[in-house]
Amino acid sequence: MSALRRPVALGMPGRRADVGHAPGGPALAGGASSPLRGEETFPRAAKRELAKPQLRANLAHATSTIRAKRAAVVGEVPDWEALRDAGAAMKAEAMQRLPELLEELERAVTARGGVVHWARDADEANAIVADLVRATGAREVVKVKSMATQEIGLNEYLDEAGIEALETDLAELIVQLAGDTPSHILVPAIHRSRTEIREIFLEHMAGVDPELTDEPRLLAMAARAYLRERFLRAEVAVSGANFAIAETGTLAVVESEGNGRMCLTLPRTLITVMGIEKVLPRAQDLEVYLQLLPRSSTGERMNPYTSMWTGVTPGDGPQEFHLVLLDNGRTAALADEVGRAALHCIRCSACLNVCPVYERTGGHAYGSVYPGPIGAILTPLLTGAVDHDDPNSSLPYASTLCGACYDVCPVKIDIPSILVHLRTRGVDAGRGGVPAPEAVAMKAAGVVMGSPTAFRAAEAASRAVRVLARDGAVSRLPWPGSLWTASRDLPAPPKEPFRAWWARERGASAAEGGK
Amino acid sequence: MTAQASPDGVPDDARSVVLARVRAALAGSTGGGTGPSFDHAAPGAPPDAGPFAAGDALPGAPAGPGYLTADDEWETGTTGEALLALLTDRVVDYRATVTRARTAEVPAQLVRLLAGAGRVVVPAGLDPDWVDALRSAGTTVLVDGPDAPLTLADLDSAGAVVTGSRLAVAETGTIVLDGSPDQGRRAVSLVPDHHVCVVRGADVVRGLPAAMARLDVTRPLTWISGPSATSDIELSRVEGVHGPRRLEVVLVVDDDAPGQR
């Protein structure tokens, strides 16, 4: 679809190319299509996803469940707003002190027997992990759910290197077995109903009981049985990290199922891939985040299991520990003074669950492993997407700016303001050259509104449109008005323009009162 | 880590490049990479981080970082039966069980809870009276210690595990293990399907700040809130996945004022 046929959709300036990335164009950070970038713009992808009624039903059910749970457990915390303020302030401090904190973390981890690696981008991180796994001689690794390793496409990379990466989180396992992609930060299989999950298990899970029903408890038991032996024989595990403490070198992983404990405890070698923004100055900071995260995320007072480890503990847990510190666009996000607050995100996914756009389109429409409101800012910031040809530059428009995401964010990221900032950044980058149809229309409107005579003529002309109205709205205008009505209704113009009504009803007295 | 220099003399190893990018990103902004520290003990509110002034939400809050800290009346004023009842309520809410016992009753209580459990794993530092009671009741006890660690197959074959605990957080129903000799290495409380965990009344605090003040985070810590669970199917909680599917807490309370600190 060319830009001319739809200059405006969701209030978003038209794309010059709507599918993929023009070959020979500027190099895109993260690759033309990657875990951080889909093939098409948000409006196109959203249109496709909205045509799936089962998806919408699954999402509405799941998000309304979690919204109610979150509201209940947040409501019982007397100092919730003060905790949010503290969480935001400590993240802001960590960003300001990032260089020294990273060096302090490196020293502390090293002193406790860990090995720290640095990776500029996804390729470098993937190569480090693959080399570390090869050095152990293992051909398979067990994985704890981790957004950082999703973001760099680690599983696919290891697969090409002949190493099998087995996801052990239930939702990640569902996605992996189905050959699907995640659609939610916390619950990657949120787009699947229990019935669909049963079908995926029956089709793809080796040795599953053919009598399996769709009762969630039995589905969880099937996953337990399937993974048990793999945990017990695993030699290498790969994880992410929710928090890292600079002063002590402590890493923390927050989870529910016990798959995290299995991976972090049983194998001989543990490799943790962590974005550089996850570092916190002090252990005491955890007293705030461990209150904010579980209640915002799964709507529980506390998640079932949190593991903390510092380097290597002789006789307890992995005896070889590697920490990979990942940039992959984080420093680009940090350089944006408005956008950098997106790096405060603790990946709770509360903003997804309250977003009216996410609830309808689901996560796949965003084309990135980070969907929803936080994804709409984080993805373009990480990939530096300002070019109109980049599908990620459409993401800041995937919002009504209603502000629900800001209200629930446990670290008070002002997502609506950053969305507007990124829209501005995109429009500014696109200035110059042939004016877009939207710019021409705005210019014309400026001329008409600047002249009383022209405005009166326009008012009179608008009345002609009334013949097309049904139930107070115009759903179909002839070209070029069809460009607007293709994506939304136009309210029917009134029978009489305001100025005519005013002149008729109050013209004389208004003139007197004005004296 | 060895820094390699590019031909123009600027180090171009990943570490140097990432740190240089971070410094460059912060260079133009206030603070320039050496911002102020958040002080958990500072008087007054934390630095304003948004349109709502910090501390606004909590009228009458004492001096401090704005939220309820370990020194707050909210924490120190909750003791005794109220504290233990809160812990019990929150643990039971996760579908774990809580039973109370005086110190002298713990051995008999463990025997009752572990009747029919099969082989039982205990860490080497567990109270010998408890272990003797289990043995006397005919239970096969597998002892895991630094000098003679059990194999994973041993742990997997056991029906249950008994451990002590470092502390418990009443507000969230959380028990923390820190790898002390009565709690053992992390694998022992993970692999067996039934975990009986003994919590002393004096080790119960109300909230997270008081818990953090008592913990040494450089020890391997496991925070446990109920049996393993998942919300991955339609975001509804289901208990029992990879970790122990049964968690039973024995709360040890003697007459001398439970929860006093």
Side-chain angles (χ1 to χ4, degrees):
Chain A
M1 191 174 286
S2 77
L4 261 181
R5 283 191 53 211
R6 178 168 300 178
V8 176
L10 298 173
M12 180 182 83
R15 308 293 93 183
R16 283 193 278 274
D18 209 312
V19 181
H21 182 65
L28 295 171
S33 175
S34 77
L36 283 176
R37 182 179 284 103
E39 303 251 312
E40 54 194 353
T41 59
F42 182 82
R44 280 181 66 91
K47 191 164 190 177
R48 186 190 63 234
E49 296 299 305
L50 285 169
K52 300 175 180 172
Q54 179 69 49
L55 172 76
R56 279 213 309 289
N58 294 351
L59 284 169
H61 172 67
T63 55
S64 58
T65 304
I66 194 73
R67 281 198 300 267
K69 286 170 68 183
R70 180 203 163 273
V73 295
V74 163
E76 68 183 31
V77 179
D79 54 342
W80 184 254
E81 290 303 321
L83 287 167
R84 292 176 75 210
D85 284 329
M90 292 187 299
K91 281 287 183 181
E93 179 202 345
M95 293 307 121
Q96 279 300 324
R97 296 175 54 201
L98 199 51
E100 55 162 308
L101 292 178
L102 290 170
E103 288 176 314
E104 191 183 1
L105 176 69
E106 180 185 40
R107 277 194 302 275
V109 169
T110 307
R112 299 279 305 211
V115 182
V116 177
H117 309 260
W118 299 72
R120 280 164 278 213
D121 53 31
D123 282 348
E124 194 164 16
N126 285 331
I128 290 168
V129 176
D131 285 348
L132 290 170
V133 177
R134 273 195 212 99
T136 68
R139 306 299 289 174
E140 58 181 42
V141 300
V142 286
K143 281 193 68 207
V144 196
K145 175 172 162 37
S146 140
M147 292 311 298
T149 61
Q150 287 273 355
E151 172 193 324
I152 61 178
L154 179 66
N155 292 4
E156 296 73 20
Y157 187 95
L158 290 178
D159 188 46
E160 281 176 27
I163 299 162
E164 186 200 352
L166 180 67
E167 292 290 353
T168 63
D169 169 78
L170 178 53
E172 290 287 4
L173 178 67
I174 293 164
V175 166
Q176 191 176 43
L177 286 173
D180 204 348
T181 53
S183 71
H184 189 277
I185 290 173
L186 172 72
V187 194
I190 194 172
H191 55 291
R192 298 291 193 177
S193 69
R194 62 183 72 187
T195 311
E196 294 171 286
I197 293 167
R198 171 179 173 269
E199 284 160 13
I200 291 165
F201 279 13
L202 287 177
E203 193 171 335
H204 300 286
M205 188 180 266
V208 76
D209 177 5
E211 303 296 307
L212 183 70
T213 70
D214 66 0
E215 189 189 331
R217 193 180 57 81
L218 297 178
L219 294 170
M221 285 309 94
R224 176 186 171 101
Y226 177 72
L227 290 173
R228 186 80 182 178
E229 194 253 331
R230 301 291 295 267
F231 283 132
L232 296 180
R233 75 169 191 233
E235 291 167 43
V236 182
V238 176
S239 83
N242 291 94
F243 307 102
I245 306 303
E247 65 175 358
T248 58
T250 304
L251 278 292
V253 164
V254 171
E255 53 128 357
S256 293
E257 296 168 13
N259 64 311
R261 290 177 71 190
M262 291 279 178
C263 292
L264 299 169
T265 309
L266 301 186
R268 221 198 93 73
T269 302
L270 171 62
I271 305 166
T272 298
V273 181
M274 180 193 107
I276 53 173
E277 82 284 16
K278 294 283 167 208
V279 67
L280 291 170
R282 298 155 300 260
Q284 200 186 351
D285 299 342
L286 292 174
E287 71 191 26
V288 171
Y289 295 107
L290 290 180
Q291 295 189 68
L292 292 170
L293 179 55
R295 291 179 198 259
S296 300
S297 188
T298 50
E300 294 166 300
R301 295 187 181 104
M302 186 63 89
N303 51 292
Y305 300 129
T306 296
S307 296
M308 296 184 197
W309 72 99
T310 308
V312 170
T313 305
D316 186 351
Q319 295 302 296
E320 201 182 315
F321 171 55
H322 296 273
L323 177 62
V324 181
L325 296 174
L326 175 71
D327 178 351
N328 203 36
R330 283 160 180 75
T331 48
L334 190 66
D336 186 317
E337 278 207 56
V338 178
R340 85 170 47 137
L343 295 176
H344 298 179
C345 174
I346 56 174
R347 311 283 189 264
C348 73
S349 68
C351 63
L352 279 60
N353 301 331
V354 298
C355 178
V357 175
Y358 177 87
E359 186 179 348
R360 285 159 183 83
T361 65
H364 289 150
Y366 295 78
S368 159
V369 297
Y370 300 109
I374 186 63
I377 58 174
L378 192 57
T379 301
L381 283 162
L382 289 177
T383 55
V386 288
D387 190 286
H388 265 212
D389 292 339
D390 185 337
N392 280 351
S393 65
S394 67
L395 289 176
Y397 296 91
S399 170
T400 63
L401 303 179
C402 75
C405 48
Y406 181 32
D407 288 346
V408 296
C409 179
V411 293
K412 290 181 84 164
I413 301 170
D414 186 353
I415 295 175
S417 294
I418 300 177
L419 286 165
V420 171
H421 164 72
L422 291 176
R423 292 179 187 183
T424 309
R425 199 170 84 161
V427 170
D428 284 346
R431 289 196 198 283
V434 184
E438 186 196 19
V440 173
M442 285 297 172
K443 206 145 223 147
V447 169
V448 171
M449 290 178 173
S451 151
T453 320
F455 192 74
R456 198 171 300 121
E459 277 182 337
S462 77
R463 272 187 279 184
V465 175
R466 283 184 55 79
V467 301
L468 299 170
R470 297 277 179 283
D471 299 326
V474 181
S475 300
R476 193 169 294 180
L477 280 173
W479 195 93
S482 61
L483 298 174
W484 176 270
T485 53
S487 51
R488 60 186 84 193
D489 287 347
L490 183 73
K495 280 187 209 135
E496 186 175 34
F498 173 77
R499 298 202 306 177
W501 174 87
W502 186 262
R504 177 163 57 74
E505 291 281 323
R506 308 275 173 85
S509 61
E512 282 161 21
K515 279 175 188 165
Chain B
M1 195 157 287
T2 330
Q4 301 141 4
S6 69
D8 56 3
V10 181
D12 63 355
D13 64 293
R15 181 182 187 280
S16 305
V17 170
V18 172
L19 285 171
R21 286 180 186 169
V22 175
R23 291 198 175 93
L26 294 170
S29 59
T30 343
T34 54
S37 293
F38 182 89
D39 190 344
H40 291 269
D48 188 3
F52 307 101
D56 275 2
L58 198 67
Y67 60 87
L68 296 168
T69 64
D71 306 329
D72 206 282
E73 167 69 18
W74 180 85
E75 172 68 47
T76 58
T78 313
T79 55
E81 183 54 36
L83 186 63
L84 300 180
L86 181 62
L87 175 69
T88 304
D89 176 73
R90 298 297 155 88
V91 170
V92 169
D93 195 43
Y94 295 129
R95 293 184 206 169
T97 68
V98 179
T99 51
R100 295 221 192 158
R102 293 164 191 271
T103 303
E105 298 166 345
V106 172
Q109 183 70 285
L110 293 177
V111 168
R112 259 195 302 280
L113 289 171
L114 292 162
R119 309 205 296 170
V120 174
V121 174
V122 300
L126 199 72
D127 191 324
D129 291 348
W130 305 353
V131 179
D132 290 345
L134 289 170
R135 287 209 170 106
S136 303
T139 305
T140 305
V141 177
L142 306 175
V143 180
D144 182 86
D147 304 326
L150 298 171
T151 63
L152 274 184
D154 285 335
L155 292 177
D156 196 31
S157 73
V161 56
V162 184
T163 70
S165 58
R166 175 66 191 85
L167 57 76
V169 186
E171 188 70 25
T172 61
T174 303
I175 296 160
V176 182
L177 309 189
D178 74 352
S180 296
D182 66 331
Q183 297 151 45
R185 61 192 171 111
R186 285 170 284 170
V188 301
S189 55
L190 170 64
V191 178
D193 200 19
H194 176 189
H195 182 190
V196 176
C197 187
V198 181
V199 175
R200 289 181 298 265
D203 292 338
V204 182
V205 297
R206 177 157 189 191
L208 267 288
M212 287 306 297
R214 289 189 182 196
L215 292 171
D216 173 1
V217 296
T218 63
R219 300 187 65 88
L221 298 183
T222 303
W223 299 55
I224 298 172
S225 306
S228 73
T230 182
S231 299
D232 281 354
I233 299 163
E234 299 179 358
L235 273 169
S236 300
R237 184 177 161 111
V238 181
E239 280 81 15
V241 199
H242 303 296
R245 284 179 282 189
R246 273 174 78 192
L247 174 67
E248 296 189 295
V249 177
V250 178
L251 191 51
V252 185
V253 188
D254 290 309
D255 288 336
D256 49 337
Q260 285 291 326
R261 295 165 245 147

